[in-house]
PDB file of all heavy atoms in Angstrom:
ATOM      1  N   GLN A   1      -1.269  23.616   4.628  1.00  0.00           N
ATOM      2  CA  GLN A   1      -0.451  22.523   3.965  1.00  0.00           C
ATOM      3  C   GLN A   1       0.409  21.744   5.101  1.00  0.00           C
ATOM      4  O   GLN A   1       0.262  22.027   6.289  1.00  0.00           O
ATOM      5  CB  GLN A   1       0.541  23.174   2.932  1.00  0.00           C
ATOM      6  CG  GLN A   1      -0.288  23.915   1.788  1.00  0.00           C
ATOM      7  CD  GLN A   1       0.763  24.542   0.790  1.00  0.00           C
ATOM      8  OE1 GLN A   1       1.995  24.472   1.082  1.00  0.00           O
ATOM      9  NE2 GLN A   1       0.244  24.947  -0.271  1.00  0.00           N
ATOM     10  N   ASN A   2       1.088  20.885   4.520  1.00  0.00           N
ATOM     11  CA  ASN A   2       2.022  19.992   5.380  1.00  0.00           C
ATOM     12  C   ASN A   2       1.124  19.160   6.472  1.00  0.00           C
ATOM     13  O   ASN A   2       1.253  19.348   7.599  1.00  0.00           O
ATOM     14  CB  ASN A   2       3.074  20.850   6.036  1.00  0.00           C
ATOM     15  CG  ASN A   2       4.173  20.057   6.715  1.00  0.00           C
ATOM     16  OD1 ASN A   2       4.344  19.000   6.352  1.00  0.00           O
ATOM     17  ND2 ASN A   2       4.843  20.754   7.674  1.00  0.00           N
ATOM     18  N   PHE A   3       0.436  18.244   5.944  1.00  0.00           N
ATOM     19  CA  PHE A   3      -0.368  17.285   6.711  1.00  0.00           C
ATOM     20  C   PHE A   3       0.433  15.974   6.738  1.00  0.00           C
ATOM     21  O   PHE A   3       1.412  15.694   6.106  1.00  0.00           O
ATOM     22  CB  PHE A   3      -1.733  17.041   6.061  1.00  0.00           C
ATOM     23  CG  PHE A   3      -2.710  18.306   6.326  1.00  0.00           C
ATOM     24  CD1 PHE A   3      -2.720  19.283   5.413  1.00  0.00           C
ATOM     25  CD2 PHE A   3      -3.579  18.231   7.294  1.00  0.00           C
ATOM     26  CE1 PHE A   3      -3.582  20.406   5.560  1.00  0.00           C
ATOM     27  CE2 PHE A   3      -4.425  19.221   7.545  1.00  0.00           C
ATOM     28  CZ  PHE A   3      -4.397  20.346   6.708  1.00  0.00           C
ATOM     29  N   GLN A   4      -0.140  15.014   7.638  1.00  0.00           N
ATOM     30  CA  GLN A   4       0.443  13.700   7.743  1.00  0.00           C
ATOM     31  C   GLN A   4      -0.741  12.752   8.130  1.00  0.00           C
ATOM     32  O   GLN A   4      -1.773  13.156   8.688  1.00  0.00           O
ATOM     33  CB  GLN A   4       1.480  13.632   8.857  1.00  0.00           C
ATOM     34  CG  GLN A   4       0.930  13.938  10.216  1.00  0.00           C
ATOM     35  CD  GLN A   4       1.948  13.844  11.255  1.00  0.00           C
ATOM     36  OE1 GLN A   4       3.104  13.573  11.075  1.00  0.00           O
ATOM     37  NE2 GLN A   4       1.648  14.215  12.569  1.00  0.00           N
ATOM     38  N   SER A   5      -0.519  11.384   7.747  1.00  0.00           N
ATOM     39  CA  SER A   5      -1.586  10.536   8.098  1.00  0.00           C
ATOM     40  C   SER A   5      -1.319  10.007   9.497  1.00  0.00           C
ATOM     41  O   SER A   5      -0.130   9.729   9.874  1.00  0.00           O
ATOM     42  CB  SER A   5      -1.493   9.248   7.095  1.00  0.00           C
ATOM     43  OG  SER A   5      -1.767   9.739   5.767  1.00  0.00           O
ATOM     44  N   PRO A   6      -2.274  10.041  10.390  1.00  0.00           N
ATOM     45  CA  PRO A   6      -2.149   9.505  11.757  1.00  0.00           C
ATOM     46  C   PRO A   6      -1.666   8.072  11.747  1.00  0.00           C
ATOM     47  O   PRO A   6      -2.088   7.223  10.944  1.00  0.00           O
ATOM     48  CB  PRO A   6      -3.625   9.711  12.380  1.00  0.00           C
ATOM     49  CG  PRO A   6      -4.214  10.641  11.473  1.00  0.00           C
ATOM     50  CD  PRO A   6      -3.755  10.386  10.149  1.00  0.00           C
ATOM     51  N   MET A   7      -0.778   7.786  12.838  1.00  0.00           N
ATOM     52  CA  MET A   7      -0.198   6.428  12.915  1.00  0.00           C
ATOM     53  C   MET A   7      -1.172   5.648  13.926  1.00  0.00           C
ATOM     54  O   MET A   7      -0.961   4.346  14.003  1.00  0.00           O
ATOM     55  CB  MET A   7       1.124   6.484  13.515  1.00  0.00           C
ATOM     56  CG  MET A   7       2.107   7.191  12.613  1.00  0.00           C
ATOM     57  SD  MET A   7       2.229   6.496  10.817  1.00  0.00           S
ATOM     58  CE  MET A   7       2.809   4.878  11.247  1.00  0.00           C
ATOM     59  N   ALA A   8      -1.951   6.328  14.623  1.00  0.00           N
ATOM     60  CA  ALA A   8      -2.825   5.527  15.475  1.00  0.00           C
ATOM     61  C   ALA A   8      -3.874   4.684  14.860  1.00  0.00           C
ATOM     62  O   ALA A   8      -4.236   4.970  13.717  1.00  0.00           O
ATOM     63  CB  ALA A   8      -3.521   6.560  16.504  1.00  0.00           C
ATOM     64  N   LYS A   9      -4.417   3.698  15.557  1.00  0.00           N
ATOM     65  CA  LYS A   9      -5.433   2.860  15.014  1.00  0.00           C
ATOM     66  C   LYS A   9      -6.730   3.738  14.871  1.00  0.00           C
ATOM     67  O   LYS A   9      -7.143   4.508  15.608  1.00  0.00           O
ATOM     68  CB  LYS A   9      -5.771   1.709  15.942  1.00  0.00           C
ATOM     69  CG  LYS A   9      -4.612   0.684  15.982  1.00  0.00           C
ATOM     70  CD  LYS A   9      -4.996  -0.488  16.889  1.00  0.00           C
ATOM     71  CE  LYS A   9      -3.880  -1.476  16.936  1.00  0.00           C
ATOM     72  NZ  LYS A   9      -4.175  -2.666  17.817  1.00  0.00           N
ATOM     73  N   GLY A  10      -7.466   3.418  13.755  1.00  0.00           N
ATOM     74  CA  GLY A  10      -8.664   4.065  13.337  1.00  0.00           C
ATOM     75  C   GLY A  10      -8.491   5.026  12.269  1.00  0.00           C
ATOM     76  O   GLY A  10      -9.440   5.380  11.649  1.00  0.00           O
ATOM     77  N   ALA A  11      -7.336   5.491  12.031  1.00  0.00           N
ATOM     78  CA  ALA A  11      -7.006   6.423  10.879  1.00  0.00           C
ATOM     79  C   ALA A  11      -7.113   5.584   9.675  1.00  0.00           C
ATOM     80  O   ALA A  11      -6.814   4.329   9.687  1.00  0.00           O
ATOM     81  CB  ALA A  11      -5.728   7.060  11.006  1.00  0.00           C
ATOM     82  N   PHE A  12      -7.336   6.146   8.403  1.00  0.00           N
ATOM     83  CA  PHE A  12      -7.532   5.520   7.210  1.00  0.00           C
ATOM     84  C   PHE A  12      -7.017   6.399   6.018  1.00  0.00           C
ATOM     85  O   PHE A  12      -7.136   7.686   6.180  1.00  0.00           O
ATOM     86  CB  PHE A  12      -8.928   5.077   6.954  1.00  0.00           C
ATOM     87  CG  PHE A  12      -9.882   6.180   7.103  1.00  0.00           C
ATOM     88  CD1 PHE A  12     -10.288   7.025   6.010  1.00  0.00           C
ATOM     89  CD2 PHE A  12     -10.484   6.431   8.273  1.00  0.00           C
ATOM     90  CE1 PHE A  12     -11.221   8.050   6.119  1.00  0.00           C
ATOM     91  CE2 PHE A  12     -11.404   7.579   8.426  1.00  0.00           C
ATOM     92  CZ  PHE A  12     -11.802   8.328   7.385  1.00  0.00           C
ATOM     93  N   LEU A  13      -6.575   5.793   4.938  1.00  0.00           N
ATOM     94  CA  LEU A  13      -6.183   6.462   3.720  1.00  0.00           C
ATOM     95  C   LEU A  13      -6.366   5.555   2.646  1.00  0.00           C
ATOM     96  O   LEU A  13      -5.707   4.674   2.397  1.00  0.00           O
ATOM     97  CB  LEU A  13      -4.768   6.940   3.807  1.00  0.00           C
ATOM     98  CG  LEU A  13      -4.202   7.701   2.520  1.00  0.00           C
ATOM     99  CD1 LEU A  13      -5.005   8.909   2.214  1.00  0.00           C
ATOM    100  CD2 LEU A  13      -2.680   7.941   2.742  1.00  0.00           C
ATOM    101  N   ARG A  14      -7.430   5.829   1.827  1.00  0.00           N
ATOM    102  CA  ARG A  14      -7.799   4.940   0.768  1.00  0.00           C
ATOM    103  C   ARG A  14      -7.800   5.703  -0.502  1.00  0.00           C
ATOM    104  O   ARG A  14      -8.194   6.894  -0.602  1.00  0.00           O
ATOM    105  CB  ARG A  14      -9.180   4.231   0.860  1.00  0.00           C
ATOM    106  CG  ARG A  14      -9.190   3.213   1.970  1.00  0.00           C
ATOM    107  CD  ARG A  14     -10.496   2.503   1.983  1.00  0.00           C
ATOM    108  NE  ARG A  14     -10.669   1.490   2.947  1.00  0.00           N
ATOM    109  CZ  ARG A  14     -11.636   0.679   3.168  1.00  0.00           C
ATOM    110  NH1 ARG A  14     -12.819   0.856   2.356  1.00  0.00           N
ATOM    111  NH2 ARG A  14     -11.676  -0.165   4.062  1.00  0.00           N
ATOM    112  N   GLY A  15      -7.291   5.086  -1.500  1.00  0.00           N
ATOM    113  CA  GLY A  15      -7.112   5.789  -2.893  1.00  0.00           C
ATOM    114  C   GLY A  15      -5.892   6.642  -2.973  1.00  0.00           C
ATOM    115  O   GLY A  15      -5.066   6.710  -2.052  1.00  0.00           O
ATOM    116  N   SER A  16      -5.643   7.315  -4.020  1.00  0.00           N
ATOM    117  CA  SER A  16      -4.489   8.120  -4.227  1.00  0.00           C
ATOM    118  C   SER A  16      -4.772   9.645  -4.546  1.00  0.00           C
ATOM    119  O   SER A  16      -4.052  10.350  -5.138  1.00  0.00           O
ATOM    120  CB  SER A  16      -3.744   7.564  -5.592  1.00  0.00           C
ATOM    121  OG  SER A  16      -4.655   7.607  -6.646  1.00  0.00           O
ATOM    122  N   GLY A  17      -6.056  10.064  -4.039  1.00  0.00           N
ATOM    123  CA  GLY A  17      -6.414  11.430  -4.333  1.00  0.00           C
ATOM    124  C   GLY A  17      -5.668  12.404  -3.320  1.00  0.00           C
ATOM    125  O   GLY A  17      -5.641  13.682  -3.784  1.00  0.00           O
ATOM    126  N   LEU A  18      -5.222  12.080  -2.158  1.00  0.00           N
ATOM    127  CA  LEU A  18      -4.710  12.970  -1.294  1.00  0.00           C
ATOM    128  C   LEU A  18      -3.185  13.170  -1.384  1.00  0.00           C
ATOM    129  O   LEU A  18      -2.416  12.254  -1.508  1.00  0.00           O
ATOM    130  CB  LEU A  18      -5.102  12.504   0.229  1.00  0.00           C
ATOM    131  CG  LEU A  18      -4.465  13.361   1.287  1.00  0.00           C
ATOM    132  CD1 LEU A  18      -5.182  14.768   1.397  1.00  0.00           C
ATOM    133  CD2 LEU A  18      -4.650  12.751   2.667  1.00  0.00           C
ATOM    134  N   ASN A  19      -2.839  14.481  -1.369  1.00  0.00           N
ATOM    135  CA  ASN A  19      -1.372  14.795  -1.258  1.00  0.00           C
ATOM    136  C   ASN A  19      -1.150  15.454   0.090  1.00  0.00           C
ATOM    137  O   ASN A  19      -1.629  16.659   0.353  1.00  0.00           O
ATOM    138  CB  ASN A  19      -1.043  15.774  -2.435  1.00  0.00           C
ATOM    139  CG  ASN A  19       0.503  16.129  -2.485  1.00  0.00           C
ATOM    140  OD1 ASN A  19       1.142  15.986  -1.589  1.00  0.00           O
ATOM    141  ND2 ASN A  19       0.801  16.523  -3.641  1.00  0.00           N
ATOM    142  N   VAL A  20      -0.499  14.730   0.924  1.00  0.00           N
ATOM    143  CA  VAL A  20      -0.330  15.256   2.320  1.00  0.00           C
ATOM    144  C   VAL A  20       0.557  16.499   2.448  1.00  0.00           C
ATOM    145  O   VAL A  20       0.378  17.320   3.311  1.00  0.00           O
ATOM    146  CB  VAL A  20       0.137  14.105   3.298  1.00  0.00           C
ATOM    147  CG1 VAL A  20      -0.976  13.006   3.426  1.00  0.00           C
ATOM    148  CG2 VAL A  20       1.508  13.460   2.790  1.00  0.00           C
ATOM    149  N   ALA A  21       1.483  16.552   1.450  1.00  0.00           N
ATOM    150  CA  ALA A  21       2.412  17.652   1.460  1.00  0.00           C
ATOM    151  C   ALA A  21       1.627  18.975   1.146  1.00  0.00           C
ATOM    152  O   ALA A  21       1.858  20.051   1.813  1.00  0.00           O
ATOM    153  CB  ALA A  21       3.644  17.484   0.587  1.00  0.00           C
ATOM    154  N   THR A  22       0.874  19.056   0.184  1.00  0.00           N
ATOM    155  CA  THR A  22       0.113  20.276  -0.221  1.00  0.00           C
ATOM    156  C   THR A  22      -1.202  20.346   0.541  1.00  0.00           C
ATOM    157  O   THR A  22      -1.805  21.453   0.597  1.00  0.00           O
ATOM    158  CB  THR A  22      -0.150  20.300  -1.726  1.00  0.00           C
ATOM    159  OG1 THR A  22      -0.939  19.104  -2.049  1.00  0.00           O
ATOM    160  CG2 THR A  22       1.150  20.155  -2.454  1.00  0.00           C
ATOM    161  N   GLY A  23      -1.713  19.263   1.194  1.00  0.00           N
ATOM    162  CA  GLY A  23      -2.983  19.201   1.849  1.00  0.00           C
ATOM    163  C   GLY A  23      -4.117  19.330   0.879  1.00  0.00           C
ATOM    164  O   GLY A  23      -5.314  19.716   1.221  1.00  0.00           O
ATOM    165  N   ARG A  24      -3.974  18.969  -0.399  1.00  0.00           N
ATOM    166  CA  ARG A  24      -5.011  18.954  -1.389  1.00  0.00           C
ATOM    167  C   ARG A  24      -5.526  17.578  -1.765  1.00  0.00           C
ATOM    168  O   ARG A  24      -4.653  16.577  -1.816  1.00  0.00           O
ATOM    169  CB  ARG A  24      -4.550  19.621  -2.655  1.00  0.00           C
ATOM    170  CG  ARG A  24      -4.156  21.134  -2.490  1.00  0.00           C
ATOM    171  CD  ARG A  24      -3.700  21.738  -3.763  1.00  0.00           C
ATOM    172  NE  ARG A  24      -3.522  23.124  -3.583  1.00  0.00           N
ATOM    173  CZ  ARG A  24      -2.942  23.997  -4.550  1.00  0.00           C
ATOM    174  NH1 ARG A  24      -2.728  23.492  -5.739  1.00  0.00           N
ATOM    175  NH2 ARG A  24      -2.821  25.301  -4.317  1.00  0.00           N
ATOM    176  N   PHE A  25      -6.808  17.390  -1.875  1.00  0.00           N
ATOM    177  CA  PHE A  25      -7.362  16.154  -2.300  1.00  0.00           C
ATOM    178  C   PHE A  25      -7.944  16.370  -3.792  1.00  0.00           C
ATOM    179  O   PHE A  25      -8.777  17.266  -3.983  1.00  0.00           O
ATOM    180  CB  PHE A  25      -8.501  15.681  -1.404  1.00  0.00           C
ATOM    181  CG  PHE A  25      -9.281  14.564  -1.908  1.00  0.00           C
ATOM    182  CD1 PHE A  25      -8.727  13.241  -1.829  1.00  0.00           C
ATOM    183  CD2 PHE A  25     -10.595  14.644  -2.479  1.00  0.00           C
ATOM    184  CE1 PHE A  25      -9.504  12.184  -2.320  1.00  0.00           C
ATOM    185  CE2 PHE A  25     -11.261  13.597  -2.988  1.00  0.00           C
ATOM    186  CZ  PHE A  25     -10.691  12.245  -2.873  1.00  0.00           C
ATOM    187  N   THR A  26      -7.411  15.563  -4.696  1.00  0.00           N
ATOM    188  CA  THR A  26      -7.862  15.591  -6.068  1.00  0.00           C
ATOM    189  C   THR A  26      -8.819  14.495  -6.341  1.00  0.00           C
ATOM    190  O   THR A  26      -8.564  13.277  -6.099  1.00  0.00           O
ATOM    191  CB  THR A  26      -6.641  15.477  -7.014  1.00  0.00           C
ATOM    192  OG1 THR A  26      -5.721  16.500  -6.550  1.00  0.00           O
ATOM    193  CG2 THR A  26      -7.054  15.598  -8.430  1.00  0.00           C
ATOM    194  N   ALA A  27     -10.003  14.718  -6.898  1.00  0.00           N
ATOM    195  CA  ALA A  27     -11.023  13.802  -7.153  1.00  0.00           C
ATOM    196  C   ALA A  27     -10.608  12.926  -8.358  1.00  0.00           C
ATOM    197  O   ALA A  27     -10.462  13.415  -9.392  1.00  0.00           O
ATOM    198  CB  ALA A  27     -12.406  14.456  -7.460  1.00  0.00           C
ATOM    199  N   PRO A  28     -10.426  11.528  -8.028  1.00  0.00           N
ATOM    200  CA  PRO A  28     -10.242  10.668  -9.203  1.00  0.00           C
ATOM    201  C   PRO A  28     -11.333  10.548 -10.174  1.00  0.00           C
ATOM    202  O   PRO A  28     -11.062  10.233 -11.343  1.00  0.00           O
ATOM    203  CB  PRO A  28      -9.797   9.304  -8.456  1.00  0.00           C
ATOM    204  CG  PRO A  28     -10.453   9.384  -7.255  1.00  0.00           C
ATOM    205  CD  PRO A  28     -10.603  10.862  -6.774  1.00  0.00           C
ATOM    206  N   VAL A  29     -12.458  10.508  -9.625  1.00  0.00           N
ATOM    207  CA  VAL A  29     -13.690  10.404 -10.497  1.00  0.00           C
ATOM    208  C   VAL A  29     -14.697  11.487 -10.035  1.00  0.00           C
ATOM    209  O   VAL A  29     -14.655  12.013  -9.019  1.00  0.00           O
ATOM    210  CB  VAL A  29     -14.353   9.026 -10.294  1.00  0.00           C
ATOM    211  CG1 VAL A  29     -13.449   7.934 -10.821  1.00  0.00           C
ATOM    212  CG2 VAL A  29     -14.699   8.757  -8.867  1.00  0.00           C
ATOM    213  N   GLY A  30     -15.537  11.865 -10.977  1.00  0.00           N
ATOM    214  CA  GLY A  30     -16.539  12.818 -10.656  1.00  0.00           C
ATOM    215  C   GLY A  30     -17.649  12.174  -9.674  1.00  0.00           C
ATOM    216  O   GLY A  30     -18.018  10.995  -9.878  1.00  0.00           O
ATOM    217  N   GLY A  31     -18.130  13.022  -8.808  1.00  0.00           N
ATOM    218  CA  GLY A  31     -19.222  12.512  -7.909  1.00  0.00           C
ATOM    219  C   GLY A  31     -19.345  13.382  -6.711  1.00  0.00           C
ATOM    220  O   GLY A  31     -18.978  14.539  -6.719  1.00  0.00           O
ATOM    221  N   ILE A  32     -20.174  12.928  -5.727  1.00  0.00           N
ATOM    222  CA  ILE A  32     -20.561  13.661  -4.486  1.00  0.00           C
ATOM    223  C   ILE A  32     -19.580  13.280  -3.427  1.00  0.00           C
ATOM    224  O   ILE A  32     -19.384  12.034  -3.117  1.00  0.00           O
ATOM    225  CB  ILE A  32     -21.931  13.414  -4.108  1.00  0.00           C
ATOM    226  CG1 ILE A  32     -22.957  13.709  -5.182  1.00  0.00           C
ATOM    227  CG2 ILE A  32     -22.273  14.239  -2.856  1.00  0.00           C
ATOM    228  CD1 ILE A  32     -22.955  15.155  -5.670  1.00  0.00           C
ATOM    229  N   TYR A  33     -18.868  14.260  -2.815  1.00  0.00           N
ATOM    230  CA  TYR A  33     -17.887  13.970  -1.832  1.00  0.00           C
ATOM    231  C   TYR A  33     -18.250  14.705  -0.518  1.00  0.00           C
ATOM    232  O   TYR A  33     -18.867  15.768  -0.529  1.00  0.00           O
ATOM    233  CB  TYR A  33     -16.490  14.490  -2.221  1.00  0.00           C
ATOM    234  CG  TYR A  33     -15.800  13.693  -3.390  1.00  0.00           C
ATOM    235  CD1 TYR A  33     -16.197  13.923  -4.657  1.00  0.00           C
ATOM    236  CD2 TYR A  33     -14.951  12.762  -3.051  1.00  0.00           C
ATOM    237  CE1 TYR A  33     -15.616  13.206  -5.719  1.00  0.00           C
ATOM    238  CE2 TYR A  33     -14.263  11.945  -4.073  1.00  0.00           C
ATOM    239  CZ  TYR A  33     -14.722  12.234  -5.325  1.00  0.00           C
ATOM    240  OH  TYR A  33     -14.093  11.511  -6.406  1.00  0.00           O
ATOM    241  N   GLN A  34     -17.947  14.037   0.609  1.00  0.00           N
ATOM    242  CA  GLN A  34     -18.225  14.642   1.904  1.00  0.00           C
ATOM    243  C   GLN A  34     -16.843  15.029   2.537  1.00  0.00           C
ATOM    244  O   GLN A  34     -15.967  14.185   2.584  1.00  0.00           O
ATOM    245  CB  GLN A  34     -18.894  13.587   2.761  1.00  0.00           C
ATOM    246  CG  GLN A  34     -19.104  14.059   4.287  1.00  0.00           C
ATOM    247  CD  GLN A  34     -19.755  12.949   5.086  1.00  0.00           C
ATOM    248  OE1 GLN A  34     -20.758  12.429   4.715  1.00  0.00           O
ATOM    249  NE2 GLN A  34     -19.220  12.644   6.171  1.00  0.00           N
ATOM    250  N   PHE A  35     -16.876  16.305   2.994  1.00  0.00           N
ATOM    251  CA  PHE A  35     -15.542  16.792   3.608  1.00  0.00           C
ATOM    252  C   PHE A  35     -15.868  17.357   4.936  1.00  0.00           C
ATOM    253  O   PHE A  35     -17.011  17.808   5.190  1.00  0.00           O
ATOM    254  CB  PHE A  35     -14.954  17.885   2.727  1.00  0.00           C
ATOM    255  CG  PHE A  35     -14.538  17.400   1.415  1.00  0.00           C
ATOM    256  CD1 PHE A  35     -15.339  17.673   0.211  1.00  0.00           C
ATOM    257  CD2 PHE A  35     -13.340  16.783   1.235  1.00  0.00           C
ATOM    258  CE1 PHE A  35     -14.897  17.226  -1.021  1.00  0.00           C
ATOM    259  CE2 PHE A  35     -12.923  16.329  -0.007  1.00  0.00           C
ATOM    260  CZ  PHE A  35     -13.625  16.525  -1.136  1.00  0.00           C
TER     261      PHE A  35
END
């Protein structure tokens, strides 16, 4: 747990599925995900 989004160029965060405090990604829609 206890993640953060990188400030350097090239990092990305799209959508609202990630909770950086818990380190959990919740799927907004059903589908195939790559991790």
